Amino acid sequence: MLRVAADAPPPLRIGGPTPLQRLAGSLRAGLREASADLRPDARALLPGLVVGDTSRVTPELDDAFRATDLTHLLAVSGSNLTIVLALLIGPPHLAVRAERRGIAPRLGLSLRTTAVIGGAVALAFVVVCRPDPSVLRAAACGLITLLAIGSGRRRTLLPALAAAVLLLVLYDPWLARSYGFLLSVLATGALLTLAPRWSTALQRRRVPPRLAEVIAAATAAQAVCAPVVAVLAARVGLIAVPCNLLAEPAVAPATVLGFAALATAPLLPPLATALAWCAGWPAEWVALIARTGAALPGAEFDWPGGWTGGLLLAAVIAALVPVAPALLRRRSLCIACALLLVVLVVRPVPLTRIVTGWPPPGWRLAVCDVGQGDGLVLATGPGSALVVDTGPDPRAMDRCLQELDVRRIPLLVLTHFHADHVDGLTGALRGRSVGALETTTREDPPDRAAFVRKAAAAYGVPVVRAVPGERRRTGDVSWQVLWPPPPAPSPVPVPAPTSAPAPKAAAPNAAAPNDSAAQRPAGPSGLPATGYMPEGPNNASVTLLVRTAGLTILLLGDLEPPAQQELLAAHPELHAIDVLKVAHHGSAYQDPALMAALAPRLAVISVGAHNLYGHPAPSTIAALRTQGARVLRTDTDGAIAVTGGTGTGLAAVTSNGRRRRPAPRRPTSRRSTSRRSTSRRATSRRPTPRRPAYRRPARRRSGVRDGIRRPTGSGRRRRARACTSA
């Protein structure tokens, strides 16, 4: 944390940018202006592909590039400089031969003149793209290679890379601690050492030379960089090589046309705009590859983070490399491995359900594991579901809906506009038919409310506001909006009478002046207004009472105790709930009266692992268990699916493990499944002794824990992800 004293002097300006830096800034600004009228993805990507300007890249698109390991395209590196220099000197392996290609031999330039011009281009490349670690490494290697070309000596690229790294680390020792610099050096080293050998091996097996070079380069770079990415992000990507292969043909045209637009922008803006329009097409192709790859359910999987995970992955890769030649010799094994990879990446829902048991058949409510946030899904029919909140991560929400095979959303409800409930909206909207989007009446915070309106408009989804008391039904699911309350009508001013009338006797049945019911006028929906105006976004959360298959489910959003008290006062009929979505991720701020009145049989808490808020609170869990509720939480149990109904009993299945077959439903007596609240309380709400202190349940291999059926096996709960750019 940086603290500045109030009486501290203002910052001292040492100096302004140099004329060269101003020229570079104007060139970058010209490229941005030339690409301003392109489509959103092309407008965001083109400056990034050319000069590494990612100011327009949205978080969603950036996550897609990280999931597919295409971030190196946005971090300007040696590939950009190689493309630019190739226009001048042609293919590097022909640069010192008589049959050399490129612009230089056609202009009759000698090797030394070509090297000098190439050096000037490399220095200009550094100035325009800014001296980032990958840019400095690329420029240093390029200058050493150009020096070898100009002197007519044999080019030895690996010593040139070593010399460039040594010079840069001596110039700036902090580069030795830069992961971006490390990834750049490792990728370049793999291209110089491993890629040629692997390309030769592929060509011996009748793979076309150009295709063999591209496959070998992408595979070699991924093999040496994957352990470092695992150290930083605790993940392993399965589609990095295919996505890089598909994006590779579009990178060179976009880069060349983009640099041409950058160079012509100060002189001929219309020509720059035309060039940028041409470069936008390949840029959109790259964005399409990234988005499509990131949307696949098996694009990546969790891996142990830190140096332990990195060393473990390096050992696995080192063990697989010697096996690869044996696989290439047998076509049947290659086809089998390719099909296995496709199945792991696509993860067809029927096959996944057979192998893992998730999701269970006949699920009614699913609580997605979206991290520190809420994302709930209520089944309304085959491939159709009501979605309540979308969590903070679009990819996590999209993956959950894919696992549940949800293709149509009749209504998507956002309880309030906090980021942990709405930032995953695009993940739910993408690729699905959404009927309408319903929100709360309080648009706070304004920036998230604007984000929701913009996302809904982009996907053509109408936005409506929740009306207290509204009732809807889709398939076997019906729900009622209980909160927020209708606003109390403002009193109408009445002109004072000219003469005071005689006082009237009070009617026998008139309410007393302090009668709260008498002081609450009727709201616009016909329900009595509570007179309570929600303060803050949490207390304005849309609260739903859902009925499905004989089960009653109450979704409280993030209501806090004041709003919970008013909710109970406005709806005293609330009791005997089967499933409760605990408010505010199980925080300690809960109303004991509401919890006692609800007395749920099952309480689910959507919360992120290792969150900084201390959610869920041990006191809340203890209070729920005292009421006889079984408590499940997504940070330790993974995603939760509620099954059962009238005549079958209430059950829940978690995704925290693999299941060979669906767990059998728990047999229940007729009394426990009766819809009468007295029988339900007598059979399902037996008070349990209060525990002195909450302890996290120990991980067991048993199929039953806390009275809820669960699959056994190793856990697969999602961990927090940290991403880095290559």
Side-chain angles (χ1 to χ4, degrees):
M1 179 181 295
L2 177 62
R3 296 182 179 179
V4 181
D7 55 350
L12 178 62
R13 181 177 179 181
I14 299 177
T18 64
L20 190 60
Q21 292 173 336
R22 291 180 179 176
L23 175 61
S26 65
L27 291 175
R28 292 191 294 267
L31 178 61
R32 288 194 296 269
E33 293 178 2
S35 59
D37 295 333
L38 301 179
R39 295 182 180 179
D41 284 347
R43 181 172 64 249
L45 279 185
L46 187 59
L49 293 173
V50 178
V51 295
D53 183 0
T54 59
S55 58
R56 293 175 175 172
V57 177
T58 61
E60 180 188 1
L61 185 59
D62 184 63
D63 289 342
F65 270 73
R66 294 182 187 276
T68 53
D69 286 337
L70 292 175
T71 49
H72 62 91
L73 299 179
L74 301 179
V76 179
S77 59
S79 59
N80 302 70
L81 182 59
T82 301
I83 293 172
V84 175
L85 292 179
L87 295 175
L88 179 66
I89 64 176
H93 64 281
L94 300 176
V96 295
R97 298 182 182 179
E99 59 272 18
R100 63 191 181 112
R101 302 173 185 174
I103 300 176
R106 296 187 179 183
L107 296 178
L109 301 179
S110 63
L111 290 178
R112 293 184 179 180
T113 305
T114 302
V116 171
I117 297 177
V121 170
L123 295 178
F125 177 81
V126 174
V127 174
V128 173
C129 299
R130 300 185 182 92
D132 292 332
S134 59
V135 176
L136 293 176
R137 193 271 314 155
C141 291
L143 289 174
I144 294 176
T145 303
L146 290 170
L147 179 62
I149 293 175
S151 61
R153 297 180 180 179
R154 181 176 178 270
R155 294 178 303 108
T156 52
L157 297 180
L158 194 59
L161 174 63
V165 172
L166 179 61
L167 292 175
L168 291 174
V169 172
L170 290 176
Y171 172 74
D172 185 4
W174 286 103
L175 289 176
R177 298 176 58 88
S178 171
Y179 284 101
F181 184 72
L182 174 61
L183 289 170
S184 177
V185 172
L186 287 177
T188 306
L191 296 179
L192 297 179
T193 56
L194 299 179
R197 299 179 182 179
W198 293 0
S199 175
T200 304
L202 291 174
Q203 293 180 36
R204 284 199 298 263
R205 287 162 179 81
R206 299 181 181 180
V207 178
R210 179 55 183 167
L211 180 60
E213 292 176 1
V214 175
I215 294 176
T219 307
Q222 182 67 18
V224 299
C225 293
V228 180
V229 175
V231 171
L232 300 174
R235 66 173 183 84
V236 175
L238 294 179
I239 59 173
V241 174
C243 288
N244 276 274
L245 293 177
L246 293 174
E248 179 68 22
V251 174
T255 302
V256 172
L257 293 172
F259 270 109
L262 179 140
T264 57
L267 304 176
L268 297 172
L271 179 59
T273 302
L275 292 172
W277 181 83
C278 295
W281 291 98
E284 282 192 352
W285 170 255
V286 176
L288 177 63
I289 295 299
R291 291 186 183 276
T292 305
L296 295 174
E300 58 183 358
F301 61 91
D302 294 339
W303 189 267
W307 290 107
T308 302
L311 293 176
L312 178 61
L313 182 58
V316 172
I317 294 175
L320 291 177
V321 169
V323 181
L327 293 177
L328 292 176
R329 296 191 189 99
R330 299 184 179 182
R331 181 173 300 179
S332 58
L333 288 179
C334 291
I335 296 175
C337 291
L339 292 177
L340 178 61
L341 179 62
V342 170
V343 171
L344 291 176
V345 170
V346 177
R347 293 184 186 178
V349 174
L351 181 61
T352 303
R353 179 174 294 176
I354 293 174
V355 175
T356 66
W358 180 264
W363 63 274
R364 304 295 180 181
L365 167 69
V367 184
C368 298
D369 186 6
V370 294
Q372 183 64 16
D374 279 1
L376 299 100
V377 187
L378 290 147
T380 59
S384 175
L386 167 70
V387 176
V388 181
D389 288 331
T390 56
D393 184 2
R395 289 170 50 209
M397 192 66 204
D398 185 23
R399 184 178 296 111
C400 178
L401 294 176
Q402 286 183 354
E403 292 175 350
L404 298 173
D405 196 24
V406 174
R407 302 179 300 275
R408 189 173 66 87
I409 303 175
L411 183 66
L412 196 157
V413 181
L414 298 179
T415 59
H416 60 295
F417 291 105
H418 273 161
D420 58 336
H421 293 253
V422 304
D423 275 10
L425 176 60
T426 54
L429 297 178
R430 187 188 310 119
R432 296 177 180 86
S433 173
V434 181
L437 195 153
E438 188 173 72
T439 68
T440 183
T441 56
R442 184 186 180 101
E443 296 191 355
D444 186 20
D447 61 329
R448 294 295 86 197
F451 161 76
V452 169
R453 290 194 300 269
K454 182 178 179 181
Y459 286 90
V461 179
V463 179
V464 298
R465 289 189 174 185
V467 178
E470 73 171 91
R471 298 174 182 267
R472 298 197 184 195
R473 185 180 187 90
T474 300
D476 295 334
V477 181
S478 63
W479 64 93
Q480 178 185 0
V481 177
L482 304 181
W483 197 264
S490 58
V492 179
V494 179
T498 56
S499 61
K504 296 182 179 179
N509 297 330
N514 59 353
D515 188 355
S516 60
Q519 296 177 4
R520 291 177 180 173
S525 63
L527 296 176
T530 66
Y532 172 78
M533 287 291 98
E535 296 182 1
N538 287 342
N539 285 332
S541 297
V542 177
T543 300
L544 300 179
L545 179 63
V546 183
R547 291 179 173 86
T548 174
L551 300 177
T552 54
I553 304 172
L554 183 61
L555 310 179
L556 289 177
D558 277 0
L559 292 186
E560 296 176 355
Q564 294 180 17
Q565 295 168 6
E566 293 293 331
L567 174 67
L568 184 59
H571 300 277
E573 73 280 1
L574 282 178
H575 59 82
I577 298 299
D578 291 308
V579 182
L580 172 66
K581 202 289 294 185
V582 183
H584 206 181
H585 318 293
S587 72
Y589 301 104
Q590 309 289 336
D591 180 50
L594 178 64
M595 197 175 298
L598 297 177
R601 300 168 60 190
L602 173 65
V604 294
I605 302 176
S606 182
V607 63
H610 311 296
N611 65 85
L612 302 178
Y613 309 99
H615 297 163
S619 59
T620 300
I621 296 179
L624 289 168
R625 288 175 173 167
T626 301
Q627 297 294 332
R630 308 302 182 187
V631 181
L632 294 179
R633 38 194 286 193
T634 56
D635 60 336
T636 57
D637 299 310
I640 303 166
V642 177
T643 62
T646 303
T648 59
L650 177 64
V653 178
T654 66
S655 65
N656 192 8
R658 293 187 304 173
R659 195 173 68 175
R660 301 284 182 181
R661 55 185 179 182
R665 290 174 177 171
R666 185 181 182 184
T668 56
S669 64
R670 185 174 182 178
R671 291 177 61 196
S672 63
T673 57
S674 174
R675 299 184 62 180
R676 292 177 298 176
S677 61
T678 55
S679 299
R680 184 177 295 152
R681 284 197 296 269
T683 59
S684 299
R685 298 192 186 92
R686 298 176 181 176
T688 58
R690 183 184 296 272
R691 299 184 181 182
Y694 169 72
R695 295 181 180 178
R696 177 176 291 184
R699 186 162 176 161
R700 303 177 184 176
R701 303 289 295 185
S702 173
V704 179
R705 191 174 78 193
D706 291 340
I708 304 296
R709 293 277 180 180
R710 310 174 186 213
T712 59
S714 59
R716 67 173 186 91
R717 63 176 177 269
R718 300 180 178 90
R719 299 175 176 84
R721 297 182 177 89
C723 299
T724 183
S725 175

